[in-house]
Amino acid sequence: MENRFTKLLGIKYPIIQGGMAWSSDAGLAAAVSNAGGAGIIGTGGRTVEWTVEQIRKAKSLTDKPFGVNVVLLAPNVGEIIDAVCAEKVAFVTLGAGNPVPHFEKFKKAGIKIIPVIPNVKLAQRVEEKGADAFVIEGMEGGGHIGSLTTMALLSNVPPKVKIPIIAAGGIVDGRGMAAALLMGASGIQMGSRFLLTEECPVHPAFKRRVIEAVDTDSVVTGYSRNSGVRCLKNDFTARFLAKEISGAPQEELNRLATGTNRLASVEGDINNGAVQVGQSLYPLDSIKTCKQVIEDIIAEAERTLAEAGKIKLSLE
Ligand SMILES: Cc1cc2nc3c(=O)[nH]c(=O)nc-3n(C[C@H](O)[C@H](O)[C@H](O)COP(=O)(O)O)c2cc1C
């Protein structure tokens, strides 16, 4: 499956693993890259030391390209960016903030720039400023979300830009991948599907909860404050939403959410932590290796695309 996105990154398949704070480390990123996609180390909530250590570890585990996700609102964002540039990874994905002021540093370091984009206006802006590609992330996905669905983004964005588009949000199988490619994407990014892999470091209780979850089990916290986060309904989301609806000040909500990603992903407290995952939950029914995930998705996408050619839309 060679296309301009696989050529841009020098990878076999147009699949990247979304950066996931507290859930994607060197082991997961390297496993995805070794399987022919591109893995991403999530630096959200992490120190510069951890970031450098994980980049070096990933380099020792794979000779294939991998990336780093930088959360632009992180308090240590400047130091993280300097460290990533010094370590010279293949590419970065940039979310939660304005990516443009940081482009020059990455360009100088020879690092490909892939911002995460919620609408057409920003897509055009990052294209004009020199991004190499971008991720459009629909609100079906796990973690921080915007207001448009993946279907709406795939309808709106491709006709308006030229650089490669990577579709994300609710894509967990080959049918989803095929649909995204047919609608104009050059690749896909998946977070939730890679949570259920042997190489993903999240706590076994988190993985079990995701396997048990059904399609309607997720909820979005913080949506009314323009900071929506999709995770599974539990005691934490009930507490948060009650406060949000009652009009509690933002600082109180921030305090309530602080540490909850780590609590769920690392400690395995699936009642009081934020179990971030997307809406396409039924297909997430088993833990596989990253290699199995990628091979299954590519095989199913190829079957789906072949079948698509047989669909007749009018009577003959
Ligand atoms: C547990 C989890 C943590 C995430 N953390 C981040 C993050 O730190 N930075 C980011 O840009 N996106 C983050 N995301 C979003 C993913 O990178 C990806 O875009 C999203 O998972 C795609 O939708 P899907 O979950 O339906 O595959 C996270 C997603 C999950 C599930």
Side-chain angles (χ1 to χ4, degrees):
M1 238 188 211
E2 200 183 65
N3 66 21
R4 60 200 185 116
F5 178 58
T6 60
K7 282 189 201 148
L8 175 74
L9 292 190
I11 57 179
K12 191 171 173 193
Y13 303 120
I15 297 178
I16 61 177
Q17 161 252 312
M20 295 185 280
W22 296 103
S23 299
S24 67
D25 62 2
L28 177 62
V32 174
S33 295
N34 282 333
I40 298 180
I41 297 167
T43 67
R46 300 289 193 166
T47 62
V48 174
E49 292 72 32
W50 182 89
T51 301
V52 171
E53 181 197 304
Q54 293 296 312
I55 293 173
R56 292 183 183 168
K57 188 172 169 196
K59 282 181 186 164
S60 76
L61 295 172
T62 184
D63 55 3
K64 302 278 191 303
F66 64 90
V68 169
N69 172 251
V70 181
V71 176
L72 297 169
L73 290 179
N76 59 353
V77 63
E79 293 165 85
I80 296 266
I81 288 176
D82 288 345
V84 170
C85 289
E87 292 296 321
K88 297 204 183 308
V89 297
F91 69 100
V92 284
T93 57
L94 307 170
N98 179 8
V100 174
H102 308 288
F103 280 14
E104 203 182 319
K105 269 193 180 169
F106 290 122
K107 290 230 174 254
K108 273 198 186 130
I111 294 172
K112 303 257 170 16
I113 302 170
I114 308 183
V116 181
I117 290 302
N119 58 43
V120 167
K121 196 171 160 192
L122 276 175
Q124 289 175 325
R125 182 163 153 72
V126 299
E127 176 174 73
E128 183 198 317
K129 297 291 178 188
D132 295 284
F134 56 80
V135 175
I136 48 175
E137 192 184 52
M139 67 180 303
E140 300 93 318
H144 285 267
I145 56 164
S147 59
L148 297 180
T149 59
T150 304
M151 178 63 91
L153 284 164
L154 281 167
S155 299
N156 284 303
V157 180
K160 300 283 185 192
V161 292
K162 294 190 182 66
I163 59 175
I165 297 169
I166 300 127
I171 303 174
V172 293
D173 56 19
R175 292 180 300 126
M177 179 176 191
L181 296 178
L182 284 174
M183 288 190 74
S186 298
I188 59 163
Q189 166 168 291
M190 298 187 296
S192 298
R193 178 57 267 188
F194 285 113
L195 287 172
L196 290 195
T197 57
E198 285 175 13
E199 297 90 344
C200 179
V202 303
H203 196 282
F206 188 124
K207 293 184 187 179
R208 270 198 306 276
R209 178 67 192 97
V210 173
I211 290 174
E212 285 163 12
V214 302
D215 48 358
T216 51
D217 275 356
S218 82
V219 72
V220 180
T221 59
Y223 195 73
S224 68
R225 311 286 172 99
N226 280 331
S227 55
V229 177
R230 183 176 298 287
C231 39
L232 293 181
K233 291 172 194 165
N234 62 7
D235 294 347
F236 160 67
T237 61
R239 274 198 300 273
F240 190 103
L241 287 168
K243 290 271 180 204
E244 183 183 340
I245 291 161
S246 76
Q250 190 58 38
E251 302 78 61
E252 194 180 339
L253 294 180
N254 293 346
R255 260 200 313 278
L256 205 58
T258 299
T260 51
N261 293 343
R262 185 179 182 285
L263 195 60
S265 294
V266 181
E267 308 288 328
D269 186 343
I270 55 168
N271 296 318
N272 298 298
V275 183
Q276 297 183 90
V277 66
Q279 285 185 309
S280 296
L281 286 160
Y282 269 117
L284 299 183
D285 60 1
S286 62
I287 296 170
K288 303 180 183 182
T289 62
C290 290
K291 189 167 182 291
Q292 271 176 311
V293 166
I294 290 182
E295 285 176 357
D296 288 353
I297 286 184
I298 291 295
E300 192 185 27
E302 279 174 345
R303 279 198 307 276
T304 307
L305 291 170
E307 286 300 312
K310 298 180 194 159
I311 297 173
K312 294 266 177 284
L313 296 180
S314 57
L315 295 174
E316 273 161 17

